[in-house]
Amino acid sequence: MDELRQRATTPADPQRVTITDVARLAGVSAATVSKVVNGRYGVSARTVEHVRGVIEEVGYESSLVARSLRSHRTNVIGILVAEFEPFSTEIIKGTAAAISGTGYELLAYSGGGRAEEDAGWERRSLSRLGGTLIDGAILVTPTVVGAAGAVPVVAIDPHAGPSDLPTVDADNVRGAVLATEHLLGLGHRRIAFLGGRPGLESSRLREEGFRTAMAAAGAPVDPDLVRVGGYRPQTATGPAHELLAHPDRPSAVFAANDVSAIATMGVARELGLSVPGDLSVVGFDNVPESVLAEPPLTTVSQPMQAMGTSAVQLLVQLMNGSPETAPDGGTHVRLPTELVVRGSTRAL
């Protein structure tokens, strides 16, 4: 028995402690251990206390799959992201903060960064996880909205925008208007737009807000100064270089996310341009990296952690059979955005 205890409590040992191990140590049947683990009747208080002491000593935990087969619940919420990047990481922080007190645990799952070339990865992931590992799912920027299946689903910033699927997003149009009006208010008129990922609704809405503000100010949008940045540094660097190497380069760039804006400032340095002396730059998101940039990035803050929190609250309500509704009576929650002015912008 001492050997079993040593094996069960040695982290480096790959062998998993089983319910049979616990039963042998406690001197009871596996059925009795199962009753204790699952809170069933028919076991004396003294035996329950004894078995729980053994469980605590050896670190036994029933598998999620076994638990789901018995009770049809795992008490786990999955948050599925295309990849762990600054935006999704902030969302996960919000979900982690909101999960406390709900009775659920949180499982973060990455699709391996395949969103652009593997549309529909969420549906396949849900098929693998739903019903056996998770009771419900939060999908971050899903490529498909018809991904609901065996478990309740809430989408954050879906590619196609709000649909019948409960969704949470931020006011992208208003945020883009604020960013563009800030640059216009500083005297800039030749403003470039470095857009987001093609096919993503938030990308379209941010460009819409940019064009709306430019039109309202009577400032023409030069087609040569509109590029697709793709929301990633590796996809934004080339288009940013094209913008800043233009014979009649812009005096300011509004990038559709902070990662692209920071990449743009890097390109500016390579070309010998000063930010904000020669070029003003505004981003979107307000990820932690934005305040650490040199200079600190002026950006539009969307409440990413609050988006994660709202998604958890909505999903828990859905799983409990009483969905929380947005103010308009639907299951779509839109949160406000605001401008955060830092050192990457100045008057022309």
Side-chain angles (χ1 to χ4, degrees), residues 5 10 20 29-30 65 82 86 91 135 158 160 163 165 175 185-186 198 222 263 265 267 276 280 287 316 325:
R5 278 190 170 89
T10 302
T20 304
S29 68
V65 174
I91 295 288
D135 294 334
S163 67
L165 192 70
L186 292 174
D222 186 341
M265 291 197 294
V267 171
S280 287
V287 297
V316 169
T325 57

Side-chain angles (χ1 to χ4, degrees), residues 9 16-17 22 30 33 60 75 83 91 154 156 170 180 182 196 214 216 220 224 229 284 293 299 310 317 330 335 340:
T9 56
R16 192 173 188 273
V17 179
V22 175
V33 177
Y60 168 74
N75 293 327
E83 59 182 316
I91 295 288
V154 171
I156 294 179
T180 310
H182 172 66
M214 293 288 281
D224 284 346
F284 200 113
T299 187
S310 294
Q317 293 291 329
L335 299 177
V340 178

Side-chain angles (χ1 to χ4, degrees), residues 48-68:
V48 169
E49 183 179 359
H50 173 59
V51 171
R52 285 178 175 171
V54 173
I55 288 173
E56 183 176 350
E57 179 183 357
V58 301
Y60 168 74
E61 177 63 46
S62 60
S63 73
L64 290 176
V65 174
R67 191 192 309 171
S68 69

Side-chain angles (χ1 to χ4, degrees), residues 15-343:
Q15 289 182 293
R16 192 173 188 273
V17 179
T18 68
I19 194 170
T20 304
D21 294 333
V22 175
R24 289 171 58 194
L25 284 171
V28 299
S29 68
T32 298
V33 177
S34 177
K35 288 181 180 180
V36 173
V37 169
N38 292 287
R40 298 197 188 103
Y41 296 106
V43 184
S44 69
R46 183 176 178 180
T47 301
V48 169
E49 183 179 359
H50 173 59
V51 171
R52 285 178 175 171
V54 173
I55 288 173
E56 183 176 350
E57 179 183 357
V58 301
Y60 168 74
E61 177 63 46
S62 60
S63 73
L64 290 176
V65 174
R67 191 192 309 171
S68 69
L69 290 174
R70 288 192 302 269
S71 65
H72 305 292
R73 291 182 69 88
T74 64
N75 293 327
V76 175
I77 288 174
I79 176 164
L80 281 61
V81 302
E83 59 182 316
F84 295 117
E85 38 74 38
F87 174 78
S88 63
T89 300
E90 290 302 300
I91 295 288
I92 291 172
K93 289 179 184 176
T95 60
I99 208 75
S100 177
T102 64
Y104 289 93
E105 298 173 359
L106 186 67
L107 172 68
Y109 182 90
S110 168
R114 302 190 304 268
E116 293 178 8
E117 65 273 10
D118 193 11
W121 66 268
E122 306 91 343
R123 186 181 289 112
R124 292 185 290 277
S125 297
L126 282 174
S127 297
R128 288 193 291 269
L129 302 175
T132 55
L133 289 179
I134 59 176
D135 294 334
I138 297 169
L139 308 180
V140 180
T141 59
T143 57
V144 293
V145 293
V151 297
V153 172
V154 171
I156 294 179
D157 193 20
H159 272 225
S163 67
D164 293 337
L165 192 70
T167 59
V168 177
D169 66 9
D171 193 341
N172 290 288
V173 173
R174 178 59 181 161
V177 167
L178 289 173
T180 310
E181 286 180 343
H182 172 66
L183 293 172
L184 290 165
L186 292 174
H188 297 278
R189 287 297 181 271
R190 191 160 176 77
I191 303 173
F193 179 74
L194 187 59
R197 208 161 62 220
L200 187 60
E201 179 69 354
S202 64
S203 301
R204 187 192 68 79
L205 293 174
R206 291 172 195 181
E207 182 172 349
E208 177 185 322
F210 164 72
R211 291 182 180 276
T212 297
M214 293 288 281
V221 175
D222 186 341
D224 284 346
L225 298 187
V226 177
R227 293 285 191 278
V228 174
Y231 281 163
R232 295 177 176 176
Q234 60 267 36
T235 56
T237 299
H241 191 279
E242 293 173 3
L243 291 173
L244 301 188
H246 193 280
D248 186 13
R249 67 171 178 80
S251 64
V253 175
F254 170 34
N257 76 336
D258 288 346
V259 170
S260 300
I262 293 170
T264 299
M265 291 197 294
V267 171
R269 282 192 296 271
E270 292 174 3
L271 295 176
L273 300 175
S274 167
V275 176
D278 300 314
L279 180 77
S280 287
V281 180
V282 179
F284 200 113
D285 283 341
N286 197 26
V287 297
E289 290 81 355
S290 64
V291 74
L292 300 175
E294 182 56 44
L297 180 66
T298 295
T299 187
V300 174
S301 177
Q302 61 172 332
M304 294 169 288
Q305 293 191 25
M307 291 163 70
T309 297
S310 294
V312 168
Q313 293 169 344
L314 181 55
L315 181 59
V316 169
Q317 293 291 329
L318 287 170
M319 292 189 296
N320 291 340
S322 55
E324 180 181 344
T325 57
D328 63 0
T331 52
H332 175 61
V333 178
R334 174 158 291 163
L335 299 177
T337 49
E338 61 179 342
L339 181 70
V340 178
V341 179
R342 298 195 182 107

